[in-house]
Amino acid sequence: MTSVGVVEPVDAALRNPSNLPSRRRAAAMIGASAALLLTLSACGGDDDDDASSSTTSTTVADVVELTTVAPTVTVAPVTTAPPVESGDATLVTDGATVVVANASGVEGAAGRMSTELTAAGFATGDATNSNESQLNTSKIYYAAGDAQAQAVAESLKSALGGGDIEVLELPDPAPLTDPASIGAGTVLVAMGNDVADQTLDELQNPAAPVDTTAGEATTDSTEPSADG
């Protein structure tokens, strides 16, 4: 009687011994790869931990805010003469020295006009004489390029009644019998017959013409009869 035995599974490597080394090498490589992956994973974890636990230290310098306190400067008040009102106009009297030159036929009129202008607030120099022939209409000159002198000259025109008075640039030399007599003056009034020996009030508010025929007395030329 023939007995049949149980055949146990036989590993393919045993059946093919030539494949055993290759399989071992493959298993060794797989194991090495796994170990490498584990090592890298451990290192990566350490890096993450280091990165998370690493703290960048920033040194902040103490900031000191400097407040600059401007020094207190006391400015002395500037005293300016108030503008002089003339009629409806406001006269500019500061910023120039006015010299009055007589160009009229009235002796001493320039000095008297200087006094009038001084009382009105103008700065005046010594009166002098014009070398222009007698003027029927006054002229006012101002130093060229001097805006303040021009403003004062325009005000003088108003103060003297306006009208046909011209405001002109001052020629060089000044139109005076002695040009040096203008001194520090930057405005020159060549005073003509139209303003000579009149006050500023009279010039600015001329009186209405007087009717000389009104109220004239009549004379009876008839001689009284004689008593018989």
Side-chain angles (χ1 to χ4, degrees), residues 21-109:
S22 297
R23 290 179 177 273
R24 288 179 177 176
R25 285 196 298 270
M29 291 180 64
I30 292 172
S33 298
L36 179 61
L37 289 174
L38 290 174
T39 302
L40 291 176
S41 176
C43 292
D46 291 340
D47 289 342
D48 291 341
D49 291 341
D50 292 341
S52 62
S53 62
S54 175
T55 302
T56 301
S57 177
T58 302
T59 301
V60 179
D62 292 336
V63 178
V64 179
E65 183 177 358
L66 298 178
T67 302
T68 302
V69 180
T72 302
V73 179
T74 302
V75 180
V78 178
T79 303
T80 303
V84 179
E85 293 186 0
S86 173
D88 295 331
T90 299
L91 301 179
V92 178
T93 59
D94 289 339
T97 298
V98 180
V99 173
V100 181
N102 197 347
S104 74
V106 182
E107 185 178 355

Side-chain angles (χ1 to χ4, degrees):
M1 183 175 185
T2 305
S3 60
V4 178
V6 179
V7 181
E8 296 292 333
V10 180
D11 184 54
L14 294 176
R15 287 180 289 134
N16 189 4
S18 62
N19 292 333
L20 184 58
S22 297
R23 290 179 177 273
R24 288 179 177 176
R25 285 196 298 270
M29 291 180 64
I30 292 172
S33 298
L36 179 61
L37 289 174
L38 290 174
T39 302
L40 291 176
S41 176
C43 292
D46 291 340
D47 289 342
D48 291 341
D49 291 341
D50 292 341
S52 62
S53 62
S54 175
T55 302
T56 301
S57 177
T58 302
T59 301
V60 179
D62 292 336
V63 178
V64 179
E65 183 177 358
L66 298 178
T67 302
T68 302
V69 180
T72 302
V73 179
T74 302
V75 180
V78 178
T79 303
T80 303
V84 179
E85 293 186 0
S86 173
D88 295 331
T90 299
L91 301 179
V92 178
T93 59
D94 289 339
T97 298
V98 180
V99 173
V100 181
N102 197 347
S104 74
V106 182
E107 185 178 355
R112 291 186 286 274
M113 178 56 70
S114 294
T115 301
E116 285 281 326
L117 294 178
T118 300
F122 292 94
T124 58
D126 293 335
T128 186
N129 293 307
S130 172
N131 66 1
E132 299 181 78
S133 57
Q134 289 189 27
L135 299 176
N136 289 323
T137 303
S138 300
K139 297 178 183 179
I140 302 174
Y141 300 97
Y142 65 90
D146 190 331
Q148 289 181 308
Q150 184 176 2
V152 171
E154 293 289 352
S155 289
L156 275 171
K157 178 178 178 178
S158 297
L160 297 178
D164 295 329
I165 296 176
E166 294 183 280
V167 178
L168 309 166
E169 287 190 358
L170 181 65
D172 186 16
L176 301 170
T177 54
D178 178 11
S181 64
I182 194 171
T186 51
V187 175
L188 174 66
V189 178
M191 185 195 65
N193 292 320
D194 54 337
V195 301
D197 265 358
Q198 296 186 67
T199 66
L200 296 183
D201 186 62
E202 290 171 342
L203 291 169
Q204 295 162 18
N205 303 287
V210 178
D211 184 359
T212 57
T213 63
E216 286 185 352
T218 57
T219 302
D220 186 359
S221 59
T222 305
E223 295 181 1
S225 59
D227 290 340

